[in-house]
């Protein structure tokens, strides 16, 4: 007879690797605000359809796209510096909100002893601004490591940032769960070998091998992520809407 104390332990992921913008915190509207301010300053149009092309992508691509849309000959580095300065100003002056269920899921994973990392395409200065706005509420030690977009040679959609985070934690990426909200980030996570659970924030994401799609972080628990991760690591087959 199996007693409660002799029941097999609930499976947990080896680590959970969190995206930041649009996944942990609601910043897509703030990015749009910063981008539109700069484009208006140079006399160019900028709408939601333009922002949709940038969600989850590297800042270098965003700047190149903004210059292309403007139809003007702007210096890439000057435009990048302007975007960084304006976005940091917005993050430090406008309200920054948690995505539904984000803070609770981080707390539950911490309580279960699951290592976590923050892996963002945003640069370190913007991660620090988001930290000062809301992430500090989690405590300084909640993430084993954080990886910023300007700290890796190749950022998302390449797997490098997630591979680096797993290496720093000391776990096999194939036993990790990546939480993402964008196509670009999901591609990076899948390429790393981890199970990706996408919570779309701006545009729809289709399931694929190693890619589950859920409506909200509120639906996730450490145990559920562990069950999915074990299935993926052992069979190499998992996908779909949850």
């Amino acid at each position: 007879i199996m007693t409660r104390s002799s029941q097999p332990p609930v499976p947990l992921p080896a680590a959970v690797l969190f995206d930041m913008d649009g996944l942990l915190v609601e910043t897509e509207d703030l990015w749009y605000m910063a981008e539109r301010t700069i484009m208006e300053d140079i006399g160019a149009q900028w709408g939601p359809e333009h922002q949709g092309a940038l969600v989850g992508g590297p800042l270098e691509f965003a700047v190149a796209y903004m210059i292309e849309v403007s139809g003007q000959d702007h210096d890439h580095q000057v435009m990048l510096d302007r975007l960084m300065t304006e976005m940091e100003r917005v993050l430090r002056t406008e309200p920054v909100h948690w995505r539904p269920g984000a803070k609770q899921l981080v707390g539950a994973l911490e309580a279960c002893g699951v290592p976590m990392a923050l892996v963002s395409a945003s640069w370190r200065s913007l991660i620090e601004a988001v930290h000062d706005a809301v992430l500090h509420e989690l405590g300084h030690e909640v993430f084993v490591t954080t990886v910023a977009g300007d700290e890796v040679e190749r950022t998302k959609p390449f797997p490098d940032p997630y591979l680096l985070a797993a290496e720093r934690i000391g776990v096999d990426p194939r036993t990790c769960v990546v939480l993402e909200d964008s196509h670009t980030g999901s591609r990076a996570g899948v390429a790393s070998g981890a199970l990706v659970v996408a919570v779309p924030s701006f545009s729809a994401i289709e399931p694929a091998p190693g890619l589950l799609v859920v409506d909200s972080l509120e639906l996730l628990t450490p145990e559920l992520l562990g069950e999915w991760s074990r299935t993926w690591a052992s069979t190499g087959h998992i996908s779909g809407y949850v």
Side-chain angles (χ1 to χ4, degrees):
I1 298 174
M2 180 176 284
T3 64
R4 180 179 297 273
S5 61
S6 63
Q7 289 177 349
V10 175
L12 293 169
V16 176
L17 314 178
F18 285 85
D19 176 50
M20 185 178 76
D21 293 291
L23 188 282
L24 268 182
V25 291
E26 185 58 79
T27 54
E28 297 306 336
D29 288 346
L30 302 181
W31 274 107
Y32 180 58
M33 185 185 302
E35 293 155 3
R36 190 176 59 185
T37 295
I38 291 172
M39 295 299 273
E40 287 178 350
D41 284 349
I42 63 176
Q45 297 295 314
W46 190 257
E49 70 276 12
H50 299 116
Q51 185 201 20
L54 305 182
V55 173
L59 286 165
E60 290 82 356
F61 173 78
V63 170
Y65 182 70
M66 290 170 71
I67 293 172
E68 178 186 341
V69 169
S70 76
Q72 304 168 22
D73 185 21
H74 291 280
D75 181 87
H76 183 95
Q77 188 60 49
V78 171
M79 183 73 87
L80 176 60
D81 291 343
R82 290 186 66 180
L83 179 58
M84 289 289 295
T85 299
E86 180 62 20
M87 187 57 189
E88 184 169 355
R89 185 194 68 78
V90 169
L91 287 170
R92 293 189 180 280
T93 56
E94 298 289 335
V96 181
H97 301 290
W98 291 102
R99 290 280 288 168
K103 191 175 180 182
Q104 294 79 4
L105 179 59
V106 171
L109 288 164
E110 183 180 28
C112 291
V114 176
M116 291 173 282
L118 183 65
V119 183
S120 178
S122 284
W123 287 13
R124 176 60 60 183
S125 61
L126 301 186
I127 292 177
E128 293 299 330
V130 173
H131 177 275
D132 293 346
V134 292
L135 294 183
H136 67 90
E137 297 171 11
L138 299 173
H140 286 279
E141 305 302 324
V142 69
F143 295 113
V144 174
T145 186
T146 62
V147 180
D150 57 333
E151 296 172 349
V152 287
E153 187 173 338
R154 302 189 309 175
T155 187
K156 306 173 188 180
F158 294 100
D160 305 34
Y162 283 117
L163 294 173
L164 178 59
E167 179 185 345
R168 286 178 176 175
I169 295 173
V171 294
D172 185 333
R174 292 172 296 181
T175 62
C176 297
V177 174
V178 164
L179 297 179
E180 272 286 353
D181 72 297
S182 69
H183 290 284
T184 302
S186 295
R187 284 174 57 197
V190 169
S192 77
L195 171 66
V196 178
V197 180
V199 188
S201 67
F202 193 85
S203 56
I205 298 175
E206 295 295 323
L211 173 59
L212 296 172
V213 181
V214 301
D215 288 334
S216 172
L217 291 174
E218 295 171 296
L219 302 176
L220 303 180
T221 65
E223 295 78 14
L224 190 55
L225 293 178
E227 180 183 329
W228 291 342
S229 178
R230 184 172 63 173
T231 299
W232 170 244
S234 61
T235 69
H237 299 290
I238 193 169
S239 66
Y241 293 104
V242 181

